[in-house]
Amino acid sequence: MSDAALPLSNEKPVLPRLAGGRDVRLGLALKRLMDIGISAVLLVALSPLWLAIAVLVRATSPGPALYGVDWVGQGGRRFRGYKFRTMVVDADRQEEALQSRNEMRGPAFKMENDPRITPLGRVLRRYSLDEFPQLWSVLKGDLSLVGPRPPRVHEYVRFTPFQMSKMAVKPGITCLWQVEGRHRINDFDEWVRLDIRYIETWSLGLDLWILIRTAGVVLRGTGA
């Protein structure tokens, strides 16, 4: 799979200014060091848990333990990421048939009672355990711990110029949408507005605040 950037819309987006245009080169370097340190520690320290989840996924439903996703990152660069599989193996093929039940306005898909999710998958999603293989993408540099969530390729190609603005920075595992609006937002443009707010007000302190809020979401089991 190529890492080349996918084509943008003919109408160029107006990209938000990171941190309002402040010089944040040192902050971004520290952000990358934080990404490497935290992802490496978690990958090693929690490896027995990841192995147990992989075994359970394989044992409770047919198919592989990991689900490969073609995501789009900063500037339209395509990359391959992974999550623990929480759906049946042909879930992608079934998504088109479920579009009439999509609860999100825009290119993303959201469905509260998605019939494709396995019983174990519901538990993994509730505690966001399905997301942990993405730590490998953080270590590689495709993702950050905090940043706008990356769109899937077929979602990205439907983006409006306004929605493209969220691609101005490296995407992340968690973001403002995860901790402030995940359950109430049903309009993708509103989600993008949260991403733009994050980009324009970015600081290491904001990242740490989002990470702390995300830990609370995981521990409370409100991530589904």
Side-chain angles (χ1 to χ4, degrees):
M1 186 199 67
S2 172
D3 281 342
L6 294 172
L8 296 172
S9 165
N10 290 330
E11 184 180 347
K12 291 188 177 297
V14 177
L15 298 180
R17 297 204 307 167
L18 178 62
R22 291 183 285 110
D23 186 348
V24 292
R25 286 174 292 183
L26 177 59
L28 289 175
L30 293 174
K31 176 183 174 76
R32 179 60 187 146
L33 287 175
M34 183 173 70
D35 283 346
I36 293 171
I38 293 177
S39 62
V41 168
L42 290 177
L43 283 168
V44 173
L46 299 179
S47 56
L49 175 60
W50 311 154
L51 179 60
I53 292 173
V55 170
L56 285 172
V57 172
R58 291 292 304 273
T60 55
S61 66
L66 293 177
Y67 166 65
V69 193
D70 287 333
W71 277 315
V72 181
Q74 185 175 9
R77 188 182 69 84
R78 178 174 171 174
F79 67 95
R80 186 77 165 173
Y82 295 90
K83 302 172 72 172
F84 283 119
R85 183 174 57 82
T86 60
M87 293 185 173
V88 295
V89 290
D90 62 344
D92 288 341
R93 182 179 58 80
Q94 294 183 35
E95 184 172 314
E96 185 62 33
L98 293 170
Q99 281 297 328
S100 62
R101 298 166 64 184
N102 186 6
E103 298 165 7
M104 177 72 75
R105 291 187 296 275
F109 186 88
K110 176 184 175 183
M111 185 176 174
E112 185 174 353
N113 296 308
D114 195 321
R116 301 171 298 166
I117 302 176
T118 65
L120 176 64
R122 295 192 184 280
V123 176
L124 296 180
R125 286 179 170 226
R126 180 177 180 182
Y127 293 96
S128 300
L129 294 173
D130 60 313
E131 309 277 1
F132 280 107
Q134 295 173 62
L135 290 168
W136 175 244
S137 294
V138 173
L139 193 61
K140 287 172 56 185
D142 291 328
L143 289 176
S144 180
L145 291 171
V146 183
R149 289 293 296 153
R152 293 174 294 171
V153 171
H154 70 275
E155 295 168 342
Y156 175 84
V157 297
R158 296 172 53 206
F159 272 17
T160 66
F162 169 71
Q163 293 162 356
M164 288 283 186
S165 62
K166 70 183 265 127
M167 312 303 294
V169 298
K170 184 185 294 186
I173 294 179
T174 188
C175 60
L176 280 177
W177 171 75
Q178 300 277 124
V179 300
E180 286 197 359
R182 182 169 181 169
H183 296 288
R184 64 175 177 80
I185 291 178
N186 292 307
D187 187 326
F188 190 70
D189 281 349
E190 188 176 348
W191 180 351
V192 172
R193 290 186 188 98
L194 281 176
D195 288 335
I196 293 173
R197 192 176 98 197
Y198 166 79
I199 294 168
E200 293 182 337
T201 62
W202 178 81
S203 69
L204 278 178
L206 178 59
D207 274 9
L208 290 171
W209 178 81
I210 292 173
L211 287 173
I212 292 169
R213 290 283 304 274
T214 300
V217 168
V218 172
L219 292 174
R220 290 193 302 271
T222 57

